[in-house]
Every structure is written in C-alpha cells, then in structure tokens.
Amino acid sequence: MWRIPQLSDNKKPCHAHRHCSPCLCLARSLMGNQLDRITHLNYSELPTGDPSGLEKDELRVGVAYFFSDEEEEVDDRTPSDCGFTKDHSPAEEGPFSVSEVEYSAFCSQECIFSKLRENEDLNVYSAKTLLTMCKPGDLLELVATAQAPHWAIYEQDDQVIHLHKGEIRKDSLLEISNGRHGRVVNNRYRYRPLPPDLVMQNAVGHLGLSSEEICWTNSESFAAWCRFGKREFKAGGEVHSAEQQYFLKVHLSGSGVHTLVFRSLEDMIRERRRVDASGILKELSLVNGGKE
C-alpha cells in the first residue's frame, strides 16, 4: 500500500524542473533515480480535486508504479506446473474445484467484490469448454496454483483482449491458457456493468497500447475497467479521502477472517493478487491488526 503524499509549501515544483508537472517534480524528489519506474499516466485523467467540484484546500497526488515484480501474468508453464493433478487434466472439460483463498471486499459498508464459495460457483473449466460459455464482453479469469489469476475480455471466435507484459493485445484464449482452467466472472465485482458493446469499445479502443500509454498495473484492473468503466481501476485514478476506505476480508480456512484496510481500489487489488501469487498470508495479519 502506498502512502499518498501531500503537496505542501516545501514540495512545490523546483526551479530545476520548472517545465515539469507538479506530479513528476514531486516524484523526482521522492524517488530519485527510480523515476523511470513510475507509471506514465495521462495527467488529464489524474484527479487533483474532488469529483463533486468542491475543491479542497490542498492538492493530493498519487505516485504509482507500473508492473511490480509480484505480477505474474501469463507465462509458459506446463500443465503440471499449474497445480492440476492427473485427475484434473487440462484436456478434461470440467467443472473442477480448485483450492483458492476466498475474499470479500467493501467500500463504505457496501459489498463491491465477492469470491466466496458459499455464495457462488467457483468451479473452473478447460479453455475449450469455457469458449462455449462465453459471450462478447464477458469477463474471464484463468487460474493456476501459486499465480495471480489472469483476466481478459472475451471478444468472439476464441479471441480475447487482455493486458499482458505491458501491452494491450488480442490473443487466442486456447493459446494463452497454457493448460490453465478458467471461468466467467461477470459478477465478481458488484458494480453495474456497461452494455456489452461499450465493454468491447473500451477493450478494442486500447489495442496496441503499451506501458508508456496505459495506466493499469495488471490484467485484472484493465479487464474490470473495460467492463465497468470506473476510473478507480486505473493507477492514480482515484481521489483519496480520509472518509473513503476499502476493506478486504481474507477468509482463511481454520483461522477466521482477516480484515485489511486500503486507501484505493487499485492498492487492494494489487495486494490481493500478491497473496494469490505467493500464498503468504501471515504478513497480511500485520497490516491491520490480525484476524477478527
């Protein structure tokens, strides 16, 4: 989770960089020679005030990173590396049940995300079977053991649009699955979805863009933004306030529920994906006081 600095008198743009934006100037002072790792944001979209139009007394600036080391994305693992046994071969159709950490998330006491087996179908299917279940604009999730899930938007005819290794691209679902099983996750986030044609417009309109031109840090944030259109899925796309907090409940079998607090949706997504990829849960309990 990143602490959001405030631009005070001693953080005004320096004379050496008088042609820079305040955001970049502050980033230089904070990160020094790490500047090349900072996300290239479209600053016309970076909020510097209250979206209601009521300006605050101070300017709030977010410093974000692009593609941290924790992000897995799709790689070339063999089916045996994906956590599937010989009884759950990728060639089989499914449905299959996989061992996963379960979560729910809230903002201002409203549930915005749910991945709980007791409330929904978490079964997964082979990529071939998944194709028979998809409609244009659907949100897809590919899962494997010890990896953060890979998300994509289904277009048609086996084609999906996704963020992979710093580029928005179109690929064959069968090819990128690499033996992983998947599922449709249209209802994972509880936001109101856009119509399918607008979802596809969002996805297709960004094809070919690379890291210098985009402001999503992982495949999930990009695909979810396409479907729901909420700027909170973008890095630096959210106005931070003391009143708004995100609560992530990590449901651990045998050890209760751990609750973590974040200042942005993007921070929460990044931490949840880190847990999915690493399986490290004990660190989480130290973030905000342990289990309930």
Side-chain angles (χ1 to χ4, degrees), residues 17 20-41 43 63-66:
H17 302 109
C20 299
S21 70
C23 300
L24 278 179
C25 192
L26 174 59
R28 285 191 175 96
S29 67
L30 292 175
M31 304 308 298
N33 59 10
Q34 302 278 334
L35 181 60
D36 58 330
R37 298 186 60 203
I38 293 179
T39 303
H40 294 273
L41 298 177
Y43 286 96
V63 178
Y65 293 91
F66 194 84

Side-chain angles (χ1 to χ4, degrees), residues 48-202:
T48 56
D50 192 314
S52 66
L54 300 176
E55 293 297 330
K56 307 298 183 184
D57 294 333
E58 58 196 14
L59 178 68
R60 296 184 181 274
V61 184
V63 178
Y65 293 91
F66 194 84
F67 294 107
S68 64
D69 295 337
E70 102 240 358
E71 177 66 15
E72 58 38 80
E73 291 309 342
V74 176
D75 57 22
D76 297 321
R77 296 188 185 191
T78 64
S80 61
D81 295 328
C82 297
F84 301 117
T85 66
K86 61 183 179 181
D87 295 327
H88 288 177
S89 166
E92 297 181 38
E93 295 184 354
F96 301 119
S97 176
V98 293
S99 177
E100 301 174 276
V101 178
E102 298 180 29
Y103 307 92
S104 57
F106 299 81
C107 180
S108 301
Q109 299 185 338
E110 177 184 359
C111 181
I112 61 170
F113 178 96
S114 178
K115 181 185 176 183
L116 298 175
R117 194 172 300 277
E118 64 183 36
N119 297 333
E120 58 196 282
D121 181 11
L122 295 183
N123 288 329
V124 295
Y125 302 82
S126 69
K128 184 177 180 180
T129 302
L130 187 60
L131 284 175
T132 67
M133 306 166 63
C134 296
K135 305 182 301 297
D138 277 352
L139 203 52
L140 306 185
E141 179 185 48
L142 298 174
V143 300
T145 301
Q147 271 189 275
H150 188 77
W151 290 47
I153 294 291
Y154 180 72
E155 186 186 39
Q156 59 182 358
D157 301 329
D158 177 41
Q159 298 296 297
V160 296
I161 297 174
H162 62 140
L163 171 58
H164 176 49
K165 295 187 180 300
E167 182 183 359
I168 309 293
R169 40 188 291 171
K170 182 191 295 188
D171 289 300
S172 161
L173 176 63
L174 295 175
E175 292 180 0
I176 70 168
S177 65
N178 285 329
R180 293 160 182 77
H181 290 67
R183 56 197 165 206
V184 179
V185 289
N186 289 338
N187 299 320
R188 183 68 57 79
Y189 284 96
R190 300 305 175 88
Y191 300 120
R192 176 179 297 179
L194 298 173
D197 59 329
L198 292 184
V199 175
M200 294 312 308
Q201 180 177 312
N202 283 341

